Amino acid sequence: MTEQGPAETNYSPSRYRTPDGAPADIVMFTITSTARKTAMKSLPERRLEVLLIQRKSWPFAGRWALPGGFSKESETLLESAKRELEEETGVGDVHIEYFSAYSTPGRDPRGWIISHAFVALVHEQYLAERRAADDAADVRLFPVDEALRMELAFDHREIIADALEQIRRKMMTTTIAKEFLPEEFTIGELYQVIQAVVPSFAESNFIRKITSTRSRQGIIEEVKDRDGEPKLSNRYSQRAAQLYRFTDYAPALSIYG
Amino acid sequence: MTEQGPAETNYSPSRYRTPDGAPADIVMFTITSTARKTAMKSLPERRLEVLLIQRKSWPFAGRWALPGGFSKESETLLESAKRELEEETGVGDVHIEYFSAYSTPGRDPRGWIISHAFVALVHEQYLAERRAADDAADVRLFPVDEALRMELAFDHREIIADALEQIRRKMMTTTIAKEFLPEEFTIGELYQVIQAVVPSFAESNFIRKITSTRSRQGIIEEVKDRDGEPKLSNRYSQRAAQLYRFTDYAPALSIYG
DNA sequence: TTAATAGTGTCTATAAGACAGTATAGA
DNA sequence: TCTATACTGTCTTATAGACACTATTAA
């Protein structure tokens, strides 16, 4: 081959300009439930929200930004992201996954800083205490559409848009819905969670499809009580609904049949 | 919140340890065709191969490694990966996408170096001249299973394994097969390409499925000549086969019906 | 005539999709 | 009795899957 990069020649760190930092930024989604004021029990309104922090200092002081911070040499990026998130939300056992890197020159006025974006999915209940304490403070949940219309710090608007696209795809093709649901849930809840993330989702016969056909291959299964009787819930309706849970089965999708 | 990271306080780069480099490493896959020696025209054997480079210097001198090199402050990681790959293969118009980051402490003896892995998919024909010139040199294609059994530099074995898993999933769920095929191809070729990447793929009625059902929603379409007559090919068989091309249609897969 | 690929015919079982109807129980 | 959710019945059409059969033509 022609000239090789530094990796193929004698290496001396001081000869090269090196990055000024490798932060992890976390797009933390949750789905909030708000009770509707109806005559009787009803399903709540569910809305996809994203956690933002108001910056205190340069650059972008005053602007809202994604939580995150610089990673350390002694940790992986994933460990770094988990640490930062725990510092922000006080919650450790969240679903968190690497997602993409952002490296456009000039994206951070502090220098050459490549940001590593993570997506975290959190049960609303884990944030409950935090919200009470910090409401109207410098850490808040915003509805996703609202966040996407805001002037955020850095390229965080683009990061959120990419993260949203990714979880929309994953919501339809994997079982990440479980990250937003209790262990046992009703079909109505599952349907709502899918719709909160993918508004265009509409399946007239949803219960029929999920409880026959593919479900025979076991994405979800009915919950039974100790006597082997179907376990029901009437949280949301007069008529009790069957409770389900996700199994470990992950269907392999294919466009080729 | 509790204590904020550097991003939320006054920033002074010199106060923090910074990374020693952000290289892009490229897992470049291609599918090679080898004619079988049969009595007549027949489909070639197709094999998934990955491009490796033999390192000349410390660290891991003599070991085979992924092509790549340190990114520069003035370019995005994608631009960096494209540049490195072009230097290696002489080809510019390849399909290349970001894939993951590798950050385990100690993964690179030269220091704190977070590697950005890309997957590139290349038509075999683009490599044809290169191979003739460089055969038995320090840049070679290896069958993927062989590469995964080798002692490679850094954590490149793990990177290749992850990349393989990713393109296997994408081969089944997207139309990346087109990156390994000519503009116009036969069903037999498509089937072979899928199998080269996903050996477990087996569809007895493949032609039937792809030309009815989902194909009515248009993943591929028949190629016609100027007179509107079906365009055929007899590259691989006595009986001429219909040529197809991919459309722009990307099916939306779902586990929920 | 055969080899090697490229299809088609036909049948059956399963799934998708629509849509009207029934079930439940607290307010 | 009404309301809001949770289903079930029934019909039609589409798709999946198996597998035997026909088609093509240079060597």
Side-chain angles (χ1 to χ4, degrees), chain A residues 157-171:
Chain A
R157 212 180 78 107
E158 181 192 351
I159 297 178
I160 294 173
D162 293 349
L164 180 59
E165 194 183 337
Q166 146 129 331
I167 69 157
R168 284 201 170 140
R169 189 177 42 72
K170 284 208 155 187
M171 178 60 67

Side-chain angles (χ1 to χ4, degrees), chain A residues 182-193:
Chain A
E183 178 75 21
E184 303 175 353
F185 54 86
T186 66
I187 300 294
E189 285 180 288
L190 173 58
Y191 192 76
Q192 277 201 317
V193 163

Side-chain angles (χ1 to χ4, degrees), chain A residues 25-39:
Chain A
D25 288 322
I26 302 113
V27 185
M28 201 208 76
F29 290 112
T30 196
I31 294 181
T32 59
S33 302
T34 320
R36 288 181 299 154
K37 44 194 179 316
T38 56

Side-chain angles (χ1 to χ4, degrees), chain B residues 196-243:
Chain B
V197 176
V198 186
S200 63
F201 180 75
E203 285 290 337
S204 47
N205 268 341
F206 186 61
I207 189 176
R208 163 130 320 153
K209 278 187 205 159
I210 198 90
T211 57
S212 63
T213 65
R214 283 191 228 276
S215 174
R216 281 194 204 133
Q217 294 151 27
I219 296 170
I220 61 171
E221 62 185 7
E222 296 185 3
V223 180
K224 315 264 188 187
D225 63 17
R226 272 142 302 177
D227 312 328
E229 292 302 299
K231 197 168 166 191
L232 307 176
S233 156
N234 59 346
R235 259 176 293 191
Y236 304 121
S237 64
Q238 315 302 359
R239 175 170 176 178
Q242 175 65 50
L243 286 169

Side-chain angles (χ1 to χ4, degrees), chain B residues 131-144:
Chain B
R131 290 179 73 203
D134 283 304
D135 229 5
D138 58 349
V139 182
R140 265 189 55 202
L141 288 174
F142 289 86
V144 169

Side-chain angles (χ1 to χ4, degrees), chain A residues 144-178:
Chain A
V144 168
D145 357 348
E146 194 180 327
L148 287 173
R149 285 194 305 266
M150 289 165 64
E151 287 248 337
L152 301 178
F154 307 101
D155 46 8
H156 288 185
R157 212 180 78 107
E158 181 192 351
I159 297 178
I160 294 173
D162 293 349
L164 180 59
E165 194 183 337
Q166 146 129 331
I167 69 157
R168 284 201 170 140
R169 189 177 42 72
K170 284 208 155 187
M171 178 60 67
M172 299 314 297
T173 57
T174 75
T175 55
I176 56 161
K178 80 175 85 163

